[in-house]
Amino acid sequence: MRTVGLLGGGVIGGGWAARFLLNGIDVRLFDPDPEAERKVSEVLANARRATRRLMLAPQPEEGRLTFVAAPEEAAEGADFVQESAPEREELKRSLLAAADRAAAPGVVFASSTSGIRPTLLQADMARPERLCVGHPFNPVYLLPLVEVVGGDRTSAETCERAAAVYREIGMRPLVLRTEIDGFVADRLLEAMWREALWMVADGIATTEEIDDAMRFGAGLRFACMGSFLIYRIAGGEAGMRHFMAQFGPALQWPWSRLTDVPELTEELLDRLAAQSDEQAAGMSIRELERLRDDCLVAVLQGLRSRGYGAGEVVAEHERALLTRVHPTPATAIDESAPVVLHATVIPAEWTDYNGHLHESRYLQVLGDASDALFRYVGIDEAYLADAGNYFTVETHLRFRAELAAGDPVSVAIHVLAADEKRLHAWLELRRADGEVAATAEHMYLHVDAATRRSGPVRADVLANVRRLAGAHAELPRPAAAGATIGI
Amino acid sequence: MRTVGLLGGGVIGGGWAARFLLNGIDVRLFDPDPEAERKVSEVLANARRATRRLMLAPQPEEGRLTFVAAPEEAAEGADFVQESAPEREELKRSLLAAADRAAAPGVVFASSTSGIRPTLLQADMARPERLCVGHPFNPVYLLPLVEVVGGDRTSAETCERAAAVYREIGMRPLVLRTEIDGFVADRLLEAMWREALWMVADGIATTEEIDDAMRFGAGLRFACMGSFLIYRIAGGEAGMRHFMAQFGPALQWPWSRLTDVPELTEELLDRLAAQSDEQAAGMSIRELERLRDDCLVAVLQGLRSRGYGAGEVVAEHERALLTRVHPTPATAIDESAPVVLHATVIPAEWTDYNGHLHESRYLQVLGDASDALFRYVGIDEAYLADAGNYFTVETHLRFRAELAAGDPVSVAIHVLAADEKRLHAWLELRRADGEVAATAEHMYLHVDAATRRSGPVRADVLANVRRLAGAHAELPRPAAAGATIGI
């Protein structure tokens, strides 16, 4: 997939734009709002920041974003169209019908609607069979869930192809068999949200207290497991039936306001607004967004370390990127000098309370450069799975200059020697002005994927390593290589 | 607080026992179930495992657990009583009344009930003013939330004192002003749970699909923020009033089944049980518990790294433990061997997608140990501000074994040499079983606070450094110290 057409560039449409662009896909976006360009660029800035923090894999080159003047232009030349207009059925229907006329046959359409049935949305389309719902969650660039639902006239292939698009950009499609207002997730959220509004209306608790009742308790579980699995565990060895026997009766107790919806009186709206202001404690929406994203990144990183739930989705996407985002073949790199295969910008969270890069993060940048070297000599995902990988077994670091948040840096690698198992290299971490901030003398050892012990590199990779070592043998040896530490 | 009395040792009572014991408090537990001792010991094993992984601070010595034969015995000599019997009002009332007669005056009682009003529970107590609700969430040893609610006859002091007890054991009390069936959290959870049961009953989605609709999407947000703050952010700069104007109308749409509760027919119970079995995919409850706990630990660690929400509660408790459980002053350290001044547990967010500690984080643990060494030789806050600090200018690292999230590690430091500006040391990063995971040869240089250039260490600190270097000169020199890297 090369290009997507987006209809709508609000919080959700902007989030889609960010997720597609950061996965290397070009975006053609239509939004009549004169502020759309500014709004999308703000979402994109947040998304770049969060994605760079989250992903361990190299990112593809960002796609190109084009703003267009009509829905037809967004759909022209697009391989996939995602609609994220405001939740007004008529508006969505007319946008989808217009884009449908301009899109090539076989292009799949999805609507981001939070709850309008796709059967209603496809009513005016000439090719209704190609529309399904693809309902994401905010922020779209971080949360992997997308609910995929077809309408009466949607073809089965459409839902499958939309799901494949979402998987390609690191998401987790949940394909529903049955069309229903609100789909699944929003029905759960709405039920809870109504109950929360009742509690504010009845003066039981403030917005902040209600939020605290979730995020310090059950909300932590919901990041990992849903109610059914959680309650199964609570029921113990006797299983779900036992749990229902024990706790089913409570369903009949007066524990929630079921009968209706609180009236949104001026008084209730005032109370909600005032309590929400107090809860935000003067933080702007931009600050709250960054706080939310930082916490989501941390939660996703945590779950990735356990290989579970949304963390596993992130890890899978990283593995896929490792294969897809391959540096251009060896020919494009000048091997007669130390090779520069990795460049980055120092992120703020890598710095200490003085604003300087923490010593351990020097090694992280150097490690990322090592990974780039391994990919360069031919270690791809298949090789990692079947053959093995290089590991750093030893390094001699010299810290020479401080680095601060925002400093652009690059790493040049000089291969000093190599044999069938080992690779000895000299790395220089350089600032944009050429000053060397750190040097490292690394010894990498090749470890066999099957035995988990050191073993020879595969011949094709070894050939690349030897070619590079041969070229670098012509270079002057760094004066400090091979030195010892001592007083 | 020295001793608590617990009434009930099921999943919740066992969780309380674990949280109190692991905070160094003795527990007297009454539960007529002949299996209680086994059940509590299983919960305690899970809790030890999870707490050891979660907490970076040193743990106090575990309290003593005693099983007693009557509620009166649990309350005798206790400083606090927590009731966690099954959700039957009569049973809870009689247990509380019996324990009330035996407890010393001034001892506070709390009930773990999920939703029964404290006014009902205190009815038979001779001292009803000392009972409040203290409603925790499973697993009690990991989730910080506890809802504190008084009844008609509860004194204000009772709620305050219960909240103080919970804070002492690392929890986050949410003191509610108004007594209401189901309190706050369970009203939210019940509303969602009923909707979920309807979707299973109507055949819309399976238990696994409904769980996935939460844990891959909004559930990740609930670990950080509740609905009100999340929706405020979604509403953008215009605030909560704008959000309600935009999304309020959807409340009137048919997005949830409000009118009643699904009947728990045999057919529905069979369906729930069968789908839940399929979802569990053969994992036992013990395995699911550990999976849940591992994920919760990772989520809490992630939030701790951002200093937010439940992560901040954990961090505060760690800071309190650091003061309470403090290593004795320098005199207690044996300088005739390498000094162990830093021990920690590998947090999940330091690991890569294979679950192994990232190479850069080895250097972080070693850097933290270096900081501990500097504090040990007398570099305190005043010294840092006025005199200067040591910086690592050079290090030679050898990676010898993989480390995973949850591994307890410590660092032993052997000072090899020192002069008025420099300190040369050999560091070993060791696992709990003594295996050396990495070694490092560090050269530290003292930098003057005023000039930001290298300068001599102050005399008192230098004396400590020289004493340590002198003692360590008697030790055999590590064989690999001073070695070079090469093929």
Side-chain angles (χ1 to χ4, degrees), chain B residues 229-433:
Chain B
L229 195 56
I230 283 290
Y231 291 160
R232 180 190 181 90
I233 297 174
E237 296 295 346
M240 200 65 196
R241 232 174 198 292
H242 174 70
F243 176 82
M244 292 304 296
Q246 218 178 342
F247 295 95
L251 283 168
Q252 301 296 341
W253 298 354
W255 280 9
S256 61
R257 290 283 293 256
L258 289 170
T259 45
D260 54 9
V261 172
E263 199 189 338
L264 298 178
T265 59
E266 276 304 303
E267 195 210 328
L268 176 54
L269 290 172
D270 282 344
R271 185 183 297 182
L272 284 169
Q275 290 184 356
S276 178
D277 287 349
E278 197 179 333
Q279 182 180 12
M283 287 183 83
S284 75
I285 295 297
R286 288 291 156 268
E287 289 169 318
L288 286 169
E289 279 172 349
R290 282 195 289 268
L291 178 61
R292 176 199 64 193
D293 288 1
D294 288 352
C295 289
L296 285 172
V297 166
V299 166
L300 287 167
Q301 285 174 337
L303 292 172
R304 176 176 56 203
S305 75
R306 308 311 314 175
Y308 192 65
E312 177 57 11
V313 179
V314 172
E316 272 168 21
H317 191 44
E318 286 172 340
R319 285 192 289 269
L321 285 176
L322 273 173
T323 327
R324 251 190 286 155
V325 191
H326 206 39
T328 41
T331 49
I333 301 275
D334 172 14
E335 295 189 350
S336 71
V339 289
V340 179
L341 301 163
H342 178 65
T344 189
V345 172
I346 302 302
E349 70 268 21
W350 288 5
T351 56
D352 61 20
Y353 43 82
N354 291 317
H356 299 133
L357 187 64
H358 190 274
E359 62 184 54
S360 68
R361 298 300 193 164
Y362 285 79
L363 189 53
Q364 174 146 5
V365 180
L366 294 162
D368 292 344
S370 302
D371 287 342
L373 174 68
F374 305 152
R375 283 196 301 278
Y376 176 73
V377 295
I379 294 182
D380 55 15
E381 288 296 316
Y383 189 100
L384 289 173
D386 302 336
N389 199 7
Y390 280 109
F391 286 86
T392 312
V393 288
E394 206 169 338
T395 180
H396 181 168
L397 289 169
R398 287 177 184 78
F399 301 98
R400 293 180 36 174
E402 283 168 357
L403 289 170
D407 282 350
V409 293
S410 62
V411 177
I413 302 183
H414 176 168
V415 176
L416 298 172
D419 63 17
E420 68 283 354
K421 284 185 189 177
R422 291 177 297 176
L423 205 166
H424 182 200
W426 177 262
L427 290 77
E428 289 188 356
L429 173 59
R430 296 173 182 161
R431 294 208 302 223
D433 61 8

Side-chain angles (χ1 to χ4, degrees), chain B residues 180-226:
Chain B
I180 179 178
D181 298 293
F183 321 128
V184 172
D186 274 357
R187 292 184 78 89
L188 300 172
L189 297 178
E190 280 285 310
M192 197 161 66
W193 176 233
R194 288 175 196 207
E195 189 62 34
L197 289 174
W198 268 122
M199 284 194 278
V200 175
D202 293 349
I204 302 296
T206 66
T207 61
E208 181 162 17
E209 288 165 345
I210 294 168
D211 279 2
D212 285 353
M214 181 59 57
R215 71 198 183 106
F216 291 106
L220 296 162
R221 297 189 307 222
F222 284 134
C224 330
M225 294 177 174

